[in-house]
Amino acid sequence: MQTLPSYYKAYRYAKDVVNGEILAGKYIIKACNHFLDMIENKESKYYKKYFINYDVVKKIDNIVKLTKFSTGEYAGQNCYKHICGFQWFILINLYCIFHRDNINKRRYEKACVFIARKNAKTWLVSMFMLLALLFEPNYAQLVASANTRDQARILFNEIKKTLEVSPALSKHFKIQRDRIECKLNNNVLFPIAAEARNTDGMLVSVGCVDEYGAARDDSIYQSLQTSMLSVTNRLIFTISTGYPYANNPMRDQIEYGKKVLDELIEDDKFFLMCYELDEDDLWTDKSKWIKSNPLQATSKLGMDFLESECKMALEMPSKAVAFRTKNLNQWLDRTPEQAFMDIKDLKKCEIDSYDWTNKDVVLSFDLSMSFDNTAISILTYDYNLEKYVAQSWGFIPYGKLEIKEQEEKVPYRMYIENGWCFACGDRKISYSFIEEFIMTIEKKLGCRVRLIGYDKYEALSTVAKLEDNDFNCVEVGQGYWLHSAIKKMKEVVLDKEFAYVKNDLFVLNVANAREEINPQGKLKVSKKKSKGKIDLLASLLNGFELIDDIEETSVYDDGGIFYV
């Protein structure tokens, strides 16, 4: 292992997080595990694809040694002596990891850092952009952006201040009101606000969006992304504290990054550091605050500040939202919602295959408008295993395969190759393919379809055809009517009384799902608030609603002959 101080601090940070010496949220732990796997595990696919460029690490070391803090507790002091392991970890990940088969191309193209206020966020952004000014090829254009002109100006001025108090570094820059130019390579940094929504005519290499959690749309991000299309080492960096908005593009990025870290989506170009409390953490438990405050919670001065803010939040409820969002990075929505299930619990229930021969099953489906995803599931209770066993399949229009992969960031082609999903029809789903799939499933798998459960939306024609072929079809109420089914599925997963045949699309659908609870304590899975498609889960919940209707009769057939 290299002994460069910055690299060692980044490595030590990752080690301490994974070993539990530094308390961190589950997605910070996953990010650190991923880093260590990439640099230490020679059998890892990431070790084989990427490497740390220690020459770039050394350059960062030397540059940071020339900078000073412009404000704060260490104003005027050298940055190198005081910056923390997590800050080195972020910078080294973004600038020092390269492809083995293209040693000039960095790994990451998109980065998202979610961190509570008062944790040196502005310094991190300033250093990120200063490194870009020095590292990018000659005549590169860089953008420091935010949601408003005032925010963009504040960010830009902070970068200027860092240079102004660092004379050993500033001599290499020409600082003007609306631009910073590096004399060594003619690279230029501009401030741009989302209000302008305009990078037309620019070829941006690196850009950052500060306080992206306050954005109401992704216009500035999309504008930057479009301006980078022909850049080899393009990089967009978003950073923010929490905001009390149910929907914003930063939150969408975080959810996407979590799926990457959960290995539900493969995207080697996306980097996430999500400093937040875990779902079960109490916001009043100060021992957990370090999960959102990797800097503030490590000093007496920082903890005194957080404790005083918490005290005000407890005594004045009007202050609670600000404290929980800004200082603890909790998203507070008007309607209570949470992830449907912890994916690590679900993954424990995965099996590679299952023999459906002579099994009584509920078949259930969730149809859609003809141009959207559709799903079918089968569910049985296996008395020998003492488990509920399920298998699910997705269906998408063949003609929209490429568009859906791009827009949803879901590898549908791979899922189709694995038999987890089917492409049928052209621009819209082929319902005849779906109907044929259902009517031949008994012959293909050897099971007995006792009941077919369905949501009546877009289903009446299909149901009529199935009933004409002697299938017993039962309409299943939706929304809070599925409370019992939702509760049952969650319980059997936690009790390890559930098994599902491996299907990564099903796991992704469960990860996407968000549930709501009404004042009467009833649960529902909300398609509207879920973070992507949930069709395979929706179809299986329809099956759980009906499974009790066949459990007793599954021991005996109509003639009273025991066959299980």
Side-chain angles (χ1 to χ4, degrees):
M1 186 180 68
Q2 296 290 316
T3 57
L4 291 164
S6 59
Y7 174 78
Y8 179 76
K9 287 183 179 179
Y11 173 83
R12 188 72 259 163
Y13 172 75
K15 276 288 192 183
D16 288 346
V17 165
V18 170
N19 294 336
E21 294 179 38
I22 294 176
L23 184 64
K26 63 182 179 182
Y27 285 101
I28 295 297
I29 296 172
K30 288 188 177 187
C32 290
N33 259 320
H34 178 86
F35 176 79
L36 295 173
D37 190 47
M38 181 188 66
I39 63 175
E40 293 182 333
N41 181 6
K42 293 184 179 181
E43 300 304 316
S44 164
K45 64 179 179 180
Y46 300 107
Y47 180 94
K48 296 173 182 177
K49 291 175 69 175
Y50 307 106
F51 73 102
I52 300 283
N53 187 325
Y54 295 105
D55 289 334
V56 179
V57 176
K58 189 173 182 179
K59 289 179 182 178
I60 294 178
D61 265 35
N62 293 332
I63 292 167
V64 176
K65 286 175 182 176
L66 300 178
T67 63
K68 295 180 179 179
F69 291 106
S70 61
T71 58
E73 183 179 356
Y74 300 119
Q77 297 185 41
N78 188 276
C79 294
Y80 197 80
K81 297 178 181 179
H82 298 290
I83 65 174
C84 301
F86 83 91
Q87 295 163 319
W88 283 121
F89 183 83
I90 292 170
L91 294 175
I92 284 175
N93 268 276
L94 296 186
Y95 280 113
C96 303
I97 301 177
F98 288 78
H99 289 255
R100 290 190 185 275
D101 61 359
N102 185 352
I103 61 173
N104 295 313
K105 181 170 175 55
R106 292 192 298 258
R107 172 181 178 175
Y108 291 112
E109 296 183 3
K110 298 175 182 178
C112 176
V113 175
F114 188 49
I115 191 166
R117 68 192 299 257
K118 301 293 184 181
N119 282 274
K121 178 172 66 70
T122 302
W123 178 88
L124 183 62
V125 177
S126 298
M127 185 52 58
F128 171 81
M129 294 309 302
L130 288 176
L131 291 174
L133 275 165
L134 291 162
F135 286 165
E136 292 308 291
N138 294 348
Y139 299 100
Q141 295 180 317
L142 316 173
V143 169
S145 65
N147 300 296
T148 66
R149 288 181 176 85
D150 288 342
Q151 284 179 327
R153 175 59 59 187
I154 290 170
L155 172 60
F156 186 73
N157 286 340
E158 289 298 327
I159 300 171
K160 289 169 61 175
K161 287 178 187 177
T162 300
L163 285 173
E164 289 166 354
V165 299
S166 309
L169 190 62
S170 62
K171 65 183 181 182
H172 299 297
F173 292 87
K174 182 179 180 181
I175 304 171
Q176 297 178 311
R177 183 178 181 276
D178 291 315
R179 58 188 275 149
I180 298 172
E181 182 177 350
C182 180
K183 299 176 184 178
L184 301 174
N185 51 27
N186 298 301
N187 291 344
V188 182
L189 171 66
F190 302 95
I192 291 181
E195 296 163 340
R197 301 185 183 186
N198 187 12
T199 53
D200 292 348
M202 296 182 69
L203 183 62
V204 178
S205 295
V206 177
C208 67
V209 186
D210 193 18
E211 295 299 350
Y212 196 43
R216 295 309 180 96
D217 60 49
D218 64 350
S219 57
I220 186 62
Y221 189 91
Q222 292 299 330
S223 180
L224 285 173
Q225 192 169 15
T226 301
S227 69
M228 295 180 172
L229 291 179
S230 59
V231 176
T232 300
N233 273 324
R234 54 183 174 265
L235 178 55
I236 307 180
F237 179 52
T238 59
I239 189 166
S240 186
T241 59
Y243 283 84
Y245 307 137
N247 297 295
N248 66 61
M250 180 72 171
R251 192 172 185 179
D252 292 340
Q253 277 196 0
I254 292 168
E255 294 295 334
Y256 179 80
K258 287 178 177 179
K259 291 173 187 174
V260 173
L261 289 173
D262 284 331
E263 299 184 347
L264 300 173
I265 293 175
E266 185 173 340
D267 187 346
D268 287 5
K269 301 174 183 178
F270 194 92
F271 176 78
L272 173 70
M273 290 297 280
C274 184
Y275 289 97
E276 64 178 1
L277 300 183
D278 289 321
E279 290 178 358
D280 296 334
D281 293 334
L282 296 175
W283 67 271
T284 52
D285 183 354
K286 65 181 181 181
S287 69
K288 304 295 177 61
W289 291 348
I290 192 173
K291 292 183 179 182
S292 301
N293 295 270
L295 182 61
Q296 278 283 86
T298 59
S299 72
K300 185 179 185 305
L301 187 65
M303 282 300 290
D304 287 346
F305 168 79
L306 292 172
E307 287 174 3
S308 66
E309 292 292 296
C310 182
K311 183 178 180 181
M312 291 180 65
L314 288 168
E315 295 179 356
M316 293 185 290
S318 61
K319 299 290 185 182
V321 170
F323 176 69
R324 294 177 66 181
T325 55
K326 295 290 187 181
N327 297 111
L328 300 181
N329 272 355
Q330 290 187 307
W331 299 102
L332 300 179
D333 301 333
R334 292 180 180 178
T335 303
E337 65 172 69
Q338 61 182 15
F340 172 72
M341 184 177 294
D342 193 324
I343 294 304
K344 72 174 186 292
D345 294 323
L346 181 68
K347 291 287 284 184
K348 294 174 183 176
C349 302
E350 186 173 278
I351 56 177
D352 290 329
S353 61
Y354 184 71
D355 183 4
W356 290 98
T357 305
N358 291 328
K359 299 297 190 297
D360 286 336
V361 305
V362 172
L363 183 148
S364 49
F365 57 82
D366 182 66
L367 296 185
S368 63
M369 289 186 289
S370 58
F371 53 81
D372 207 352
N373 293 16
T374 286
I376 293 173
S377 294
I378 55 175
L379 178 66
T380 191
Y381 184 80
D382 188 311
Y383 288 87
N384 294 320
L385 298 176
E386 296 184 337
K387 291 178 184 287
Y388 293 91
V389 184
Q391 188 166 357
S392 301
W393 301 269
F395 302 83
I396 63 173
Y398 178 80
K400 296 187 69 177
L401 181 58
E402 184 174 349
I403 294 173
K404 290 179 74 65
E405 283 199 324
Q406 292 175 353
E407 291 182 351
E408 298 174 27
K409 308 297 184 187
V410 174
Y412 282 113
R413 283 184 177 84
M414 183 186 76
Y415 293 165
I416 290 168
E417 290 172 3
N418 287 318
W420 302 332
C421 184
F422 297 90
C424 56
D426 183 19
R427 303 292 292 177
K428 60 182 182 178
I429 287 281
S430 169
Y431 285 147
S432 61
F433 184 95
I434 302 289
E435 291 154 7
E436 179 70 12
F437 186 94
I438 294 172
M439 287 189 280
T440 59
I441 200 167
E442 290 182 320
K443 182 177 180 181
K444 290 175 181 176
L445 298 182
C447 61
R448 291 183 288 266
V449 177
R450 292 288 184 170
L451 291 175
I452 293 181
Y454 67 92
D455 168 10
K456 69 178 180 180
Y457 182 73
E458 298 288 337
L460 297 183
S461 174
T462 295
V463 168
K465 293 175 185 176
L466 294 174
E467 289 179 336
D468 286 343
N469 283 271
D470 297 325
F471 286 100
N472 184 11
C473 299
V474 179
E475 181 184 343
V476 177
Q478 299 299 297
Y480 292 114
W481 289 102
L482 280 172
H483 168 79
S484 296
I486 293 169
K487 185 172 179 287
K488 187 180 188 75
M489 181 178 172
K490 290 162 72 76
E491 288 173 348
V492 298
V493 167
L494 290 175
D495 292 338
K496 298 183 177 62
E497 296 174 357
F498 176 71
Y500 68 94
V501 178
K502 181 178 174 62
N503 184 329
D504 288 354
L505 180 57
F506 170 70
V507 176
L508 178 59
N509 277 203
V510 176
N512 288 339
R514 295 295 179 269
E515 65 181 27
E516 296 181 34
I517 184 168
N518 69 7
Q520 290 74 43
K522 298 288 187 180
L523 293 170
K524 78 170 183 178
V525 174
S526 172
K527 285 190 176 183
K528 183 178 180 181
K529 292 194 174 183
S530 292
K531 309 303 179 181
K533 303 294 185 183
I534 64 167
D535 307 88
L536 277 71
L537 171 63
S539 68
L540 183 57
L541 288 175
N542 288 340
F544 267 106
E545 179 67 16
L546 299 178
I547 190 65
D548 288 345
D549 293 342
I550 71 163
E551 278 188 41
E552 291 183 4
T553 59
S554 65
V555 179
Y556 296 94
D557 68 11
D558 292 337
I561 302 171
F562 185 78
Y563 59 75
V564 173

